Amino acid sequence: MAHDAVGITTKPGSKAALSKQAGIKRRDAFLAALPILAMRPLATLALSEYLPPGEETQEFKSLDQRATEFKRKQLSYKKKWEELTDKFAAARDDEEAMASLKAFQNAFFEEGNANLPEGVSRDAFLRTIRRKQKDLEAKDQWQKPVRMRFLDLKTAIDQSRRPKGMNDGAPVMG
């Protein structure tokens, strides 16, 4: 014998028990279909907000133009950065390393870049510099002026990656 919610005892297989099971199955099917039914109006609403191709607004066109211009600038900035990286990797002494680090700083701050180019990771860049630092230190190079120039560049990179106001006493890692 099975007990239902109101305390009436029914026999398995009786009419009351079968109709109760059928009610549960219908309810489960309805609850399973509910999210699909709810999403249908949202999907048509979202589709109605998009304009067909060729009917873009002036605002969209100007934003697209700005994005394209930004990508072009970033590509040229990245190319220049890679050239400077190659020049730095070829440095044979402190003077060449100092000139390369100064060129990095100038490129970093010119035209409002104040950040690494898109696609250049901070860690990969610092690994390149530290590899060269190790080579120059083996030749008794990498003296204080070069170290200070490198630390200035590294600090500028770290500060550019941290949101404004978030560097209140926080240690700089790396």
Side-chain angles (χ1 to χ4, degrees):
M1 294 231 169
H3 296 282
D4 61 349
V6 267
I8 299 173
T9 306
T10 58
K11 293 181 184 176
S14 69
K15 243 182 182 180
L18 290 176
S19 66
K20 184 176 178 184
Q21 290 172 350
I24 291 173
K25 289 179 184 175
R26 281 188 300 249
R27 186 179 65 210
D28 290 342
F30 177 73
L31 291 176
L34 192 60
I36 295 169
L37 295 173
M39 288 188 334
R40 174 83 175 131
L42 293 176
T44 57
L45 178 66
L47 289 176
S48 67
E49 290 182 17
Y50 292 107
L51 295 172
E55 295 184 22
E56 294 89 6
T57 63
Q58 191 62 31
E59 179 185 12
F60 176 81
K61 289 178 183 177
S62 69
L63 290 175
D64 188 44
Q65 183 180 8
R66 285 178 48 201
T68 305
E69 184 180 318
F70 175 78
K71 286 178 186 176
R72 267 194 229 119
K73 280 185 177 180
Q74 283 297 309
L75 285 174
S76 67
Y77 180 37
K78 184 177 180 181
K79 183 179 177 184
K80 182 176 182 179
W81 196 266
E82 289 172 349
E83 290 170 1
L84 291 173
T85 304
D86 292 341
K87 185 178 176 183
F88 178 77
R92 291 172 284 171
D93 56 14
D94 275 356
E95 290 79 29
E96 291 177 8
M98 184 73 138
S100 294
L101 289 171
K102 192 175 210 173
F104 275 126
Q105 275 186 320
N106 292 340
F108 188 77
F109 289 115
E110 79 179 6
E111 296 180 27
N113 288 327
N115 211 338
L116 291 173
E118 294 284 317
V120 175
S121 77
R122 171 195 174 271
D123 295 333
F125 175 66
L126 292 179
R127 273 195 302 270
T128 302
I129 290 186
R130 290 202 172 111
R131 213 173 292 129
K132 190 61 179 180
Q133 174 185 357
K134 188 176 179 181
D135 293 344
L136 289 175
E137 284 176 343
K139 299 180 202 174
D140 286 331
Q141 298 286 319
W142 201 263
Q143 299 302 316
K144 187 173 182 174
V146 180
R147 283 196 313 264
M148 297 306 293
R149 178 71 65 177
F150 165 65
L151 290 176
D152 288 343
L153 178 61
K154 182 181 169 299
T155 302
I157 291 170
D158 289 341
Q159 286 178 349
S160 73
R161 296 176 52 87
R162 188 175 292 145
K164 291 187 190 278
M166 296 299 293
N167 58 355
D168 303 326
V172 176
M173 303 305 252

